[in-house]
Amino acid sequence: MTELSDTVSPSMNSSPSDVVTYDGKQYDMIKEGLATILNPRPSSSTINTEGKKPTTTLQQTVFYNPIQQFNRDLSVLAIQIFGEDLKSIRKARQEKRLQEAKGKAAASKKRKREDLCCSDQLPRLADNEPLEIVNGTLHRHTALETSNSHLIKEESHTHSLQEVETNQSPPGTSLSCSNSKIETTSGAGTPEPLSNHASILQRVNSFPTDGNHETKPMPHNFRVLDALSATGLRALRYAKEIPYVTSVTANDLSASATDSIKLNVQHNELSGQIHTVTGNALAHMYNIDAAAYGAYEAMPDGSRGRYEVIDLDPYGTAAPFLDAAVQALADNGLLCVTCTDSGVFASVGYLEKTYAQYGGLPFKGPQSHEAGLRLILHAIATSAARYGMAIEPLLSLSIDFYARVFVRVRRSAVEAKFLAGKTMLVYNCDHGCGAWSTQFLANNKSEKNKKSEEFYKYIPAQAPTASPNCEHCGLKTHLCGPMWGGHLHNPFFIQRILDALPSLSKETYGTLPRIEGMLSIALEESLLDAAQEEIIKNSNKAQADQEIIGRLDPSRPDRYPFFIIPSVLAKVLHCVAPSDAALRSALISLGYRVRRSHTKPGTIRTDAPWTVIWEVMREWVRQKAPVKDGAIKSGTAGWAIMRKERSRASIIELKEQLQSILEKADDLDEAKVQIEAALFKSGRSLEKSTEAAATAKGSLDKAGGRKTLKVVFDEKVGKDVGSKKMVRYQLNPRPNWGPMTRAKGGS
């Protein structure tokens, strides 16, 4: 690589407006976080259009979008919290395995000790534990190794002795190991130091032992792949701002992009930590998976193994990279995915393309962006499940014009079996009242055997759960999905990030206020079932003292997806819209939970069924906002919903039945019998419907003896009293903001 010229200052305090010259080219010096990039100055081109003023556009040779600083700030924090958790998980696993190995060794030690100690030709540990050399590899004695072979293999308790020339040792010579040196003992008993074998000592002493010998921790590798790196800004920030990152690989298909990355890496003095690769990201990740099995060349840093973190941030969809990414991840690895094609995953304009890329059909309506997140997660989950892996969404956000998800991938065939029970279809009344119903493909049923051990049965779902027409307005429904039906976030993970925010520098992380606001909504967004709510409540205090982040039950789906918007509901009924606080208070007074959604302002997530939601809206019309006569046309969704008003529904239905009887009756006596039957049936159905509505978690008017659903609109109850003021929803950051144009750099 060409050295930096004298005109490029190595200072990390350069302002974004600085312009430097390198080899005759001008660069903008841009500082973000602790990293600085030298971004080639965009070339301007003038576009002439007929009848319009010529406009000048900027063509980037390497893609850089300052609007996504929020994405990068959040990614650094998420990876840092994840890395701390991964270290704790690995530490706990290692300690557990060592304890198991010690326990089994201790059980067999009493019986085999005499046989092990009788061999003077074997090297020994500090506690006189014998070892043996087999094919140039140092092992515990065969008798002990055989009883614990699977544990010793997992913990890599074998160390190469390729440097040891055993056949050159003189006859009668034996090896002995101590805490300070390795010596040979000749037949005369004179110790001779083996200086050229000093490197073996550290590895021998790192073996787990049965005595009080101190065990050294396994080395912790934390490798990150920035698969589509562009300027390399993400790779630079990960290397500089995450202290325990051991190596970062910055890959890009464009040669001009990798040249820019190399320049930025050298400018930030990170040549030993960031490795630049020019090539296809798919080929690189598939080769990494092959290298993990020893079937391909080592990684750029010389090691063999999968990445702990893979970041996919393409221009457009990340769908083509998901299959390779899940295979190149280490167990419990983190997959960070950005998709900027919201016109595909959050719109029905290209539903055939949505299905081709994400394996499901999109959702039409205000909830389309949350459905888009679920389609992306569904694509990741199905890609992982093919290889016996399961995903756990730690954080899933719809941000500006793109989606960003952070997903932990576990190599667990057992958890992969839960996927069908967390995959759902959605029946959406998109042309009518906007109601929806969900249907999961299977049911993960927990049972216990005779030993009280838990196991699961996987039961196919009964279909269909909804009729072709909406039960509320009678109009046709449309199919969406299949899509991810589990939870979008891990509240324990989000809380860890929020706890870390007060100690961070606002100069380094310029989007901290927005991060705090969006994560605060995401933390409260999930509507968990009673069992999981209790787990979180009981573990909130304990989490501060725990190293490993808690997790939700992987077998349980999200029973309450999506949200409602008061103004959208009011539009169906052609009435004045209730305020958010008024509608929230009505649902709270009936005993239901209410939350916000991070995807859109003015939203309400609730566990109330649609029958209750529309009953509340009918009460709103009756109490607060009467509809003018003729405002609702016959045959519309609002007309059908208002016909079901408690005080009028049975009367209207009875009137229609009587009219039909009179029109069809030829005999007066027969008509009389049918009328009496209709009157009796109407009385029974009125009583039944009234009681059913009242017992749906509503308050009961016991004084009158008759059960009624009491809906109260009190904005004081619905307001978040005492809540902290924060930036919950982002305003447009600047004029003409968005994904920007694709880079036009050379290959």
Side-chain angles (χ1 to χ4, degrees):
M1 175 178 170
T2 308
E3 294 294 331
L4 288 172
S5 64
D6 295 336
T7 58
V8 179
S9 171
S11 172
M12 294 294 103
N13 299 320
S14 303
S15 65
S17 60
D18 287 342
V19 178
V20 295
T21 301
Y22 169 63
D23 284 349
K25 297 181 180 179
Q26 288 188 326
Y27 295 87
D28 291 323
M29 186 177 290
I30 303 173
K31 181 174 175 61
E32 183 179 298
L34 298 180
T36 302
I37 63 171
L38 305 177
N39 195 35
R41 302 214 77 192
S43 59
S44 61
S45 60
T46 303
I47 302 176
N48 294 312
T49 56
E50 293 185 11
K52 296 183 180 180
K53 184 178 179 180
T55 59
T56 300
T57 61
L58 297 179
Q59 300 290 340
Q60 294 190 96
T61 56
V62 178
F63 186 80
Y64 168 73
N65 190 351
I67 301 303
Q68 289 202 27
Q69 182 180 354
F70 174 82
N71 185 332
R72 291 183 285 268
D73 285 351
L74 180 62
S75 299
V76 171
L77 299 179
I79 293 174
Q80 187 163 351
I81 297 299
F82 165 80
E84 294 172 357
D85 181 56
L86 183 61
K87 288 171 61 179
S88 301
I89 291 175
R90 287 178 169 177
K91 180 181 177 182
R93 284 186 175 182
Q94 181 185 4
E95 291 176 352
K96 181 179 179 181
R97 289 172 179 171
L98 293 181
Q99 290 298 325
E100 291 176 353
K102 288 180 181 179
K104 291 187 177 182
S108 60
K109 183 176 180 180
K110 182 178 180 180
R111 180 165 48 89
K112 298 170 181 168
R113 185 64 175 178
E114 293 181 359
D115 294 337
L116 294 173
C117 294
C118 66
S119 176
D120 295 330
Q121 301 301 319
L122 297 177
R124 302 178 181 276
L125 294 170
D127 61 345
N128 207 33
E129 185 82 10
L131 304 173
E132 66 178 356
I133 299 174
V134 180
N135 296 327
T137 304
L138 187 63
H139 294 263
R140 289 182 181 278
H141 192 275
T142 305
L144 179 60
E145 183 187 14
T146 302
S147 63
N148 300 291
S149 59
H150 64 288
L151 294 170
I152 294 175
K153 184 178 180 181
E154 281 187 346
E155 293 301 321
S156 301
H157 297 159
T158 60
H159 298 265
S160 176
L161 289 181
Q162 296 175 356
E163 300 175 358
V164 180
E165 299 293 340
T166 56
N167 56 353
Q168 295 180 4
S169 300
T173 301
S174 63
L175 291 173
S176 64
C177 302
S178 65
N179 289 335
S180 59
K181 59 184 177 179
I182 301 179
E183 301 176 333
T184 60
T185 304
S186 64
T190 305
E192 300 176 2
L194 294 178
S195 58
N196 59 326
H197 300 302
S199 61
I200 303 174
L201 176 62
Q202 182 178 2
R203 288 179 282 176
V204 171
N205 285 339
S206 67
F207 286 0
T209 63
D210 300 326
N212 297 324
H213 190 70
E214 181 181 358
T215 301
K216 296 185 178 181
M218 299 285 287
H220 175 72
N221 291 322
F222 196 87
R223 293 160 296 198
V224 181
L225 170 64
D226 186 8
L228 306 156
S229 198
T231 62
L233 179 55
R234 288 180 184 271
L236 294 169
R237 294 196 61 181
Y238 295 159
K240 272 187 168 290
E241 299 173 30
I242 304 175
Y244 41 77
V245 168
T246 54
S247 68
V248 180
T249 301
N251 177 85
D252 203 284
L253 184 62
S254 170
S256 61
T258 52
D259 289 341
S260 176
I261 295 171
K262 292 176 183 178
L263 182 65
N264 291 325
V265 168
Q266 184 173 351
H267 180 71
N268 287 267
E269 300 178 353
L270 293 170
S271 299
Q273 195 171 0
I274 298 179
H275 309 277
T276 306
V277 178
T278 304
N280 188 300
L282 289 172
H284 178 79
M285 290 187 285
Y286 281 128
N287 291 339
I288 290 301
D289 181 51
Y293 293 101
Y296 199 76
E297 62 182 9
M299 294 170 62
D301 60 356
S303 63
R304 294 181 181 272
R306 299 181 176 91
Y307 291 103
E308 278 67 34
V309 178
I310 294 180
D311 194 328
L312 301 176
D313 186 14
Y315 190 94
T317 179
F321 305 97
L322 298 179
D323 183 83
V326 296
Q327 296 184 69
L329 267 178
D331 187 22
N332 280 289
L334 180 66
L335 181 60
C336 312
V337 178
T338 299
C339 292
T340 61
D341 59 330
S342 57
V344 175
F345 65 73
S347 169
V348 295
Y350 305 95
L351 62 86
E352 73 285 354
K353 191 173 183 180
T354 308
Y355 185 83
Q357 291 183 346
Y358 299 105
L361 298 176
F363 191 104
K364 183 178 181 180
Q367 301 83 3
S368 61
H369 285 82
E370 179 181 334
L373 287 173
R374 295 184 179 276
L375 287 172
I376 296 170
L377 292 174
H378 170 71
I380 300 173
T382 51
S383 296
R386 295 187 186 99
Y387 308 102
M389 306 180 203
I391 72 166
E392 178 195 1
L394 300 179
L395 182 62
S396 309
L397 299 176
S398 174
I399 309 167
D400 299 333
F401 56 88
Y402 60 92
R404 180 69 165 171
V405 298
F406 299 88
V407 178
R408 189 197 297 270
V409 180
R410 287 186 169 88
R411 296 180 179 271
S412 172
V414 175
E415 291 189 17
K417 296 177 181 179
F418 295 141
L419 180 58
K422 294 192 294 185
T423 302
M424 66 180 182
L425 298 171
V426 183
Y427 302 100
N428 180 27
C429 184
D430 48 5
H431 290 295
C433 64
W436 66 82
S437 60
T438 60
Q439 175 179 335
F440 290 88
L441 302 186
N443 180 27
N444 302 323
K445 187 177 181 181
S446 174
E447 294 187 358
K448 292 187 178 181
N449 58 20
K450 295 180 179 179
K451 297 181 180 180
S452 298
E453 298 173 341
E454 187 180 30
F455 70 98
Y456 284 90
K457 285 186 175 181
Y458 309 98
I459 305 171
Q462 184 177 357
T465 58
S467 63
N469 295 82
C470 176
E471 63 175 309
H472 308 287
C473 68
L475 298 183
K476 293 181 180 180
T477 59
H478 292 94
L479 188 65
C480 311
M483 62 181 66
W484 174 257
H487 293 285
L488 297 178
H489 319 293
N490 181 333
F492 301 108
F493 180 79
I494 297 176
Q495 188 61 58
R496 284 288 180 91
I497 300 179
L498 289 173
D499 292 341
L501 295 185
S503 61
L504 300 177
S505 169
K506 292 184 178 180
E507 295 182 358
T508 303
Y509 303 96
T511 60
L512 277 184
R514 188 185 180 191
I515 291 177
E516 181 184 14
M518 182 166 281
L519 293 190
S520 297
I521 298 178
L523 178 64
E524 303 170 356
E525 187 172 19
S526 298
L527 288 164
L528 308 176
D529 55 33
Q532 296 188 89
E533 287 275 13
E534 190 66 23
I535 292 174
I536 293 180
K537 185 184 298 183
N538 295 335
S539 60
N540 275 341
K541 296 181 180 179
Q543 280 294 308
D545 301 326
Q546 294 180 0
E547 293 182 352
I548 298 178
I549 297 175
R551 59 181 303 206
L552 301 177
D553 188 341
S555 67
R556 295 179 182 269
D558 184 357
R559 297 292 181 184
Y560 312 107
F562 308 124
F563 53 82
I564 59 175
I565 301 178
S567 60
V568 175
L569 300 178
K571 184 178 180 180
V572 174
L573 301 181
H574 295 271
C575 68
V576 177
S579 64
D580 294 354
L583 187 55
R584 287 164 61 92
S585 68
L587 295 172
I588 292 172
S589 66
L590 296 175
Y592 293 98
R593 295 174 293 169
V594 293
R595 303 284 192 272
R596 287 188 176 91
S597 172
H598 78 276
T599 60
K600 195 179 291 290
T603 56
I604 299 176
R605 293 177 67 95
T606 180
D607 55 351
W610 274 102
T611 52
V612 173
I613 293 173
W614 283 125
E615 182 59 36
V616 169
M617 288 302 298
R618 284 190 288 264
E619 282 296 308
W620 169 258
V621 172
R622 187 179 67 84
Q623 296 181 26
K624 304 289 185 179
V627 180
K628 295 181 179 180
D629 293 338
I632 304 178
K633 296 182 179 180
S634 176
T636 62
W639 179 78
I641 290 172
M642 291 305 298
R643 279 166 49 87
K644 295 182 179 181
E645 185 181 0
R646 289 201 313 269
S647 60
R648 299 176 54 196
S650 298
I651 298 176
I652 294 174
E653 183 180 359
L654 176 60
K655 180 180 177 181
E656 291 178 349
Q657 290 180 0
L658 293 177
Q659 185 176 357
S660 177
I661 291 172
L662 292 175
E663 290 177 354
K664 296 179 181 180
D666 296 331
D667 186 11
L668 185 60
D669 293 335
E670 182 182 353
K672 182 179 179 181
V673 173
Q674 293 180 1
I675 290 172
E676 288 177 351
L679 290 172
F680 177 78
K681 182 180 179 181
S682 177
R684 292 291 300 272
S685 62
L686 176 61
E687 181 181 356
K688 183 178 179 180
S689 62
T690 304
E691 292 184 1
T695 56
K697 284 191 177 180
S699 56
L700 304 180
D701 185 10
K702 298 180 180 179
R706 183 178 179 181
K707 298 179 180 180
T708 58
L709 187 64
K710 187 177 181 180
V711 181
V712 178
F713 298 96
D714 186 355
E715 293 191 0
K716 293 182 180 180
V717 177
K719 289 182 178 180
D720 293 331
V721 180
S723 61
K724 181 180 178 181
K725 292 184 178 180
M726 58 184 69
V727 183
R728 290 183 170 88
Y729 299 98
Q730 177 75 357
L731 299 176
N732 290 345
R734 69 180 188 186
N736 303 320
W737 67 282
M740 301 179 64
T741 56
R742 188 189 296 267
K744 301 296 182 181
S747 59

